[in-house]
Amino acid sequence: HAHTKSYNLRPAFVLLGKPEAKLLRVAIRGTVHVEDWLTNLDFVTQWSDAAGGHCHRGMLEAAQWVFEIVRGALKKAVTAGWAVEVTGHSLGGGVATLLALLLRHEFPVQASSITGVAICPPPVVEHRVALQCREFLATLVNQDDLVPRLSEGAIINYGSDLRHVLTRYCSEMDFRRDARDFKLEVLHGLPVLFGDARPGDPTWEREFEL
């Protein structure tokens, strides 16, 4: 079973079976189209009884949509003693995390046979729920990848840090000089946002000319 085209709150995914291993795997694709970005950007929090906490609203709705489609097949599988694994990358990793929570809530008796692997997922649950996910979910993060660190709270905290540095470094008398120092100091800590450009790179200097 496969949905190869994504829409807003409707990610592309595939359901695969491996009879010899008695394994069903749900693989959810990451961000490819504009519609996927609409799901990503719906990041206000929403309470979920199944997850037991607050979740990324857009990805929770996407997980619920996938859940309704695969529910029948997965119910047959887990009652027959099959294992279920959910996986995905980026957007898909976030949806897979929430799907695993939904499935374990739906099938509590077989919960131990439901696991997941999330590759570079965004933050999709509150901290308390994330700690509980360690029991059944493996999360892979690629070094300085921004996505797994880009939560609503992180954005708010970074904005606060920026205001603090601006207040500290930018005086009215020497604004241009201090703003340049601020630019190089603060943005040096975020190379992932700007590709391979670094302070001292002519491209960087032109783009952030004050």
Side-chain angles (χ1 to χ4, degrees):
H1 187 90
H3 280 257
T4 58
K5 183 169 176 56
S6 58
Y7 301 91
N8 182 24
L9 306 176
R10 306 289 186 267
F13 75 93
V14 60
L15 176 63
L16 303 168
K18 193 174 183 180
E20 64 272 21
K22 299 186 72 173
L23 172 68
L24 269 186
R25 178 175 289 124
V26 184
I28 305 167
R29 192 178 68 190
T31 302
V32 174
H33 302 297
V34 173
E35 289 82 359
D36 298 320
W37 276 107
L38 296 176
T39 303
N40 290 332
L41 294 174
D42 189 3
F43 58 76
V44 297
T45 57
Q46 179 175 316
W47 176 267
S48 168
D49 289 333
H54 289 92
C55 308
H56 183 294
R57 184 175 67 183
M59 295 189 192
L60 175 62
E61 186 167 335
Q64 290 168 334
W65 176 75
V66 176
F67 173 73
E68 291 301 326
I69 295 174
V70 303
R71 173 190 255 163
L74 296 189
K75 182 177 181 179
K76 292 179 181 178
V78 296
T79 54
W82 284 43
V84 172
E85 182 182 272
V86 295
T87 187
H89 169 257
S90 192
L91 163 66
V95 175
T97 299
L98 294 168
L99 179 60
L101 287 165
L102 295 177
L103 291 171
R104 290 171 66 88
H105 181 265
E106 178 75 6
F107 307 113
V109 175
Q110 298 87 7
S112 61
S113 67
I114 300 170
T115 59
V117 178
I119 305 168
C120 301
V124 293
V125 294
E126 59 181 278
H127 185 255
R128 175 179 52 82
V129 179
L131 294 178
Q132 296 170 0
C133 289
R134 293 185 298 186
E135 175 187 345
F136 59 88
L137 183 75
T139 302
L140 307 178
V141 177
N142 182 26
Q143 198 170 344
D144 297 326
D145 190 350
L146 177 67
V147 171
R149 302 171 173 87
L150 192 59
S151 66
E152 182 181 11
I155 293 172
I156 293 172
N157 289 339
Y158 184 65
S160 177
D161 290 343
L162 283 176
R163 287 193 297 272
H164 172 74
V165 175
L166 277 170
T167 301
R168 177 183 173 189
Y169 282 94
C170 298
S171 66
E172 291 184 7
M173 298 298 294
D174 299 306
F175 175 79
R176 290 181 64 85
R177 185 199 67 198
D178 291 340
R180 176 181 171 81
D181 293 341
F182 154 76
K183 170 190 64 177
L184 296 181
E185 178 172 334
V186 174
L187 295 181
H188 181 66
L190 292 174
V192 71
L193 288 177
F194 305 100
D196 295 327
R198 298 291 188 275
D201 184 311
T203 302
W204 177 284
E205 297 297 327
R206 287 196 302 273
E207 186 169 353
F208 296 96
E209 190 72 34
L210 290 174

